[in-house]
Every structure is written in structure tokens, then in C-alpha cells.
Amino acid sequence: MTTTTAPHTTTTTNAPHTTTTTNAPHTISDTRAPKPDPVTGPHATTPAAPLPAPAPALPTPPPSPLLNPTHLGTLPLPNHLVMAPMTRNRAHPDGTPTPLMATYYAQRATAGLIIAEAATPNAVGRTYPNITALHTDAHQAGWQQVTRAVREAGGRMFVQLQHGGRVGHPATSGLTPLAPSPVPLPGGIHTPNGHEESVVPREMTRDDIRQTIADFAAAARRAIDAGFEGVEVHSANGYLLHQFLAANTNRRTDAYGGPVAHRIRFTVEVVRAVAEAIGPERVGVRLSPGLTVNGIEEGDTESLYPALVTSLTSLGPLAYLHLVHADPSSPHFQHIRAAWPGPLIANPISPADTLPPDGGRAAGERLLAAGADLISLGRPFLANPDLIERLRRSAPLNPIRDKFLMYVGGAEGYTDYPPLPSPE
């Protein structure tokens, strides 16, 4: 068989048959015997009706900037999406992470960064049953299994350090909760016995404050030894550090209460101690300006956060600030973005009872355009371990099965959300 190719012309010899074809626009010449015309020849037929034109393909959304690679300091990230910390209550009763948790996080390792759920730095800081902790060798070993699984799956992790303050109960921790002032949590709290009335927390002494700061620093060191890239200090959502910031939960008259400069002091001292323990480039801070969850009323948000951000800036090049329920049109967001010189992770406002059909893409892109560096998503990652691929393919999302969200334990509604089938 010999083939000779010239522009638009192909000659093929394949004995005993020979075919010469000349390809010009809309022209074909063939040396084979002509076939009878299907309309006028001896076997004439009625021409078949033309096939209907295929439906136009739906427009493919342009590639999202959320999926572009980036970095956090010197840490390379494959995309701009962060899995936000979410309490799931799957730890052992003493706070040690379980093998099931390693599976859960490894399933979601395609996130640019995972911030693991809140871990308490001491026993009195426990909030709810079966939450994680990071103040014993067993806790550290449990977390090491988690970080190893995520790293083997190609991921990167920070861990959130959280002290509950008044958000706690003796039925859970065995201890009376500590807080800036003896102001109980409104509405009660979930314990191993079910829902119970809150107890009046004990006001922290200066020794309590010093010990708690030391506990945060010790937990941060354990986090690095367990394989985390860094830690996030939780100063949001109505937990201990936020309780010091808020006027309605901090009624102290000493150097940690009263004017804004005093109320931000505890958060700043905790972050400073953690930064000194593991390096500022490994330390992020979570803030929730104006958020009223867990009975918080800050009272002077407009002056509180400029002062806090200015003080945090003085601690060195921290890894990031993480803003909860960020709204790019909000003055809080705009002022913090302008004042904060480092990376900013923004968590967009989303419906509490459902997932946005686009998985948070539009809200995340608006925040990127407004100056955020990374976008954290919670519930979309919870039900979609392959969220990154779903966003890339504009695929539908798994719905959340809320009854398995917290307090129930087990794999159902935790590690059994189905991934997308492989593309054909």
C-alpha cells in the first residue's frame, strides 16, 4: 500500500483496487464505477428526511479563578479554596481523633488548604461531646494519623485551636467553664446527657489567663509535631477569645476589660504566644466582626476591629486573617482588607439550610475580586468531598443530610457522600 499526499489530494494504491481522491472545498472525485442514482436509477427511493440538528450545547462557564494555583506564604496551594473548620463530633470521648476522621479529611484533600475542626488546648476549654483536643500525647498521635492521610492524598492542613469559655458544661468536661466574667451562655447547651441548662462560668483570674495563654502555645507546638502546617487561633463565633472582645460578656474592670484597648488584650497575647512558639508565618487568626452567635453582642464593632487588626499586624507576618460571613460590600470587610497587609481568607455568607447551586463559586469570586486572597467554604465541602472537581466540571452537588451533621457519630453522613463518576 503506497500513499502520496499533496495539498488537499490523496492517492492510495491497494491492489487490486485503486482509489484516487482529490479534496477541494466541497469536491470529491472517485475513480470507482458510478453508483446508480438513488432517485433516478433502477432502484430509486424517496430521499430520507434530514436528521434534526443537534441541540446547541449549553455554554460552559469560563474557568474560575478560584481554581487557579496560588500560595500562602511559602506554602504552594493548588487552588484558592479552603475547607473551613467544621465541628463534626467524631472524636473519641477524650478528644482523640479517630481513624474515621483520617478518612474524612483525606477524601477532601484536593482543597487548596484544609483547616481542621476546632481542637481545645486544655480540658476546661471543651465545648461539646466528642470534639477534638490537642493537649495530650494521645491527641497528638491521633492527629498525626490524620495529617499523614491527608499528606499522602496530596493535601495540606492547618488546625483550629479553640477554647469554649462559657460555651461548655461540667457534664462534658468535668469542670466548671471559665470566662472573662460570670455571664452564662443563653439558651442552654448540648451535653452527653442531651440538652441542659448552661451553668454560670467562673471568672478567670490572672493566673487562669496566664495558664490559658501557655496552653494555646503548647497546643500549637503539638500541632506542628503532629504534622500540621500551622494553626488558626479562634477569636470568633462567641468562644473564649470573642467573649473577651465583646462588651456583653466581658464586664471586667482590670487590664483585660472595659475600653477596647483592654478587651483586645487577651486575643493579642494569645496570638503573640502562639507566634513565638511556632513562628508567625504558621499562625492564622479567625475573626467574626458583628456576629451575634452564642449570645455575643460586641457593642462597638466599628472601633473594636480596627484596633485589633492594628495590634495583630504588629506581631509579625502572620499567616492570615480569616473573616467569617464576609460580605464584600460591608464596611467591616473593606476596612479590614485595607488595614491588613497579609493574606486574607474570606468565608462568604451562605444559606443556613441549603447549598448554593454553584457550590459558592459566585460568592467566592466576588470576594476574590474585592481583595480576598483565599475563599473558605464549609458546607459545600461537607457533602462533596470532590468539590474542586465538581466546580471544575460545573457538576451538581450532593445535598447535605443535616441529621448526621453533629452529635450522631459514625460514617453515615460523614464519609459516605458519593464522588462524581470518572469522566468518560
Side-chain angles (χ1 to χ4, degrees), residues 178-385:
L178 299 179
S181 301
V183 181
L185 176 71
I189 189 170
H190 187 85
T191 78
N193 306 320
H195 189 83
E196 297 194 44
E197 289 297 315
S198 303
V199 300
V200 177
R202 180 170 65 80
E203 181 173 309
M204 294 174 73
T205 65
R206 289 295 189 96
D207 285 343
D208 292 327
I209 289 173
R210 283 190 288 269
Q211 183 60 55
T212 301
I213 292 171
D215 290 342
F216 268 93
R221 285 189 288 268
R222 284 189 178 275
I224 301 305
D225 291 343
F228 288 103
E229 303 290 347
V231 304
E232 176 176 285
V233 176
H234 199 347
S235 187
N237 295 70
Y239 297 108
L240 179 63
L241 274 64
H242 200 186
Q243 292 161 28
F244 269 90
L245 295 177
N248 75 317
T249 48
N250 184 347
R251 301 178 183 178
R252 303 174 72 98
T253 58
D254 63 1
Y256 291 91
V260 163
H262 290 184
R263 300 204 319 270
I264 67 174
R265 180 177 176 181
F266 182 64
T267 290
V268 173
E269 290 184 353
V270 168
V271 176
R272 178 185 292 117
V274 171
E276 290 174 352
I278 63 173
E281 72 283 357
R282 292 180 178 267
V283 182
V285 182
R286 192 181 210 203
L287 303 176
S288 55
L291 195 63
T292 58
V293 67
N294 284 322
I296 287 291
E297 296 176 13
E298 293 167 345
D300 42 16
T301 303
E302 292 75 12
S303 57
L304 180 65
Y305 285 92
L308 177 58
V309 170
T310 297
S311 294
L312 292 175
T313 300
S314 71
L315 301 181
L318 298 178
Y320 61 81
L321 285 187
H322 186 179
L323 291 189
V324 177
H325 290 192
D327 177 357
S329 65
S330 161
H332 299 318
F333 176 87
Q334 295 168 359
H335 293 162
I336 289 174
R337 177 64 284 184
W340 177 247
L344 183 68
I345 301 178
N347 172 245
I349 299 171
S350 60
D353 56 351
T354 187
L355 294 180
D358 68 352
R361 171 177 170 163
E365 290 177 355
R366 283 194 296 272
L367 283 163
L368 277 186
D373 298 286
L374 299 169
I375 304 301
S376 72
L377 300 174
R379 291 166 67 87
F381 272 111
L382 186 154
N384 298 275

